[in-house]
């Protein structure tokens, strides 16, 4: 998982808890990978392709909702 990789945002419990189910199925580009001190990846900041969601193009997406595309 690296900056610049493309992803499709998948449904997850975390995304639902954040009230961001409207992002499911959207394509995005990874802008920043966030991890903790133990090196476990927590999620990514992504930039949506196409139209913004709720007026924003950049969103934090939990790791369980990241599906990378090649």
């Amino acid at each position: 998982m690296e900056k610049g990789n493309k992803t499709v945002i998948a449904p997850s419990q975390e995304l639902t808890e954040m009230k961001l189910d409207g992002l499911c199925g959207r394509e995005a580009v990874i802008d920043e990978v966030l991890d903790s001190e133990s090196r476990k990846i927590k999620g990514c900041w992504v930039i949506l392709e196409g139209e913004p969601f709720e007026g924003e193009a950049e969103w934090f997406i939990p790791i369980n909702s990241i599906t990378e595309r090649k």
Side-chain angles (χ1 to χ4, degrees):
M1 186 169 309
E2 296 179 11
K3 181 176 179 167
N5 288 4
K6 289 193 176 194
T7 184
V8 175
I9 301 170
S12 70
Q13 183 64 35
E14 292 89 346
L15 207 62
T16 298
E17 289 171 3
M18 296 167 66
K19 300 185 187 313
L20 295 176
D21 286 328
L23 290 171
C24 294
R26 295 286 306 267
E27 294 184 356
V29 176
I30 296 172
D31 189 47
E32 182 179 355
V33 178
L34 299 177
D35 57 20
S36 66
E37 293 175 15
S38 64
R39 293 292 196 206
K40 182 177 178 185
I41 297 174
K42 300 291 186 184
C44 298
W45 280 99
V46 301
I47 299 173
L48 298 176
E49 294 188 337
E51 295 293 316
F53 176 74
E54 295 187 3
E56 298 291 334
E58 188 172 13
W59 289 90
F60 173 78
I61 304 298
I63 192 64
N64 292 340
S65 290
I66 300 287
T67 55
E68 283 192 274
R69 295 179 55 190
K70 301 226 177 199

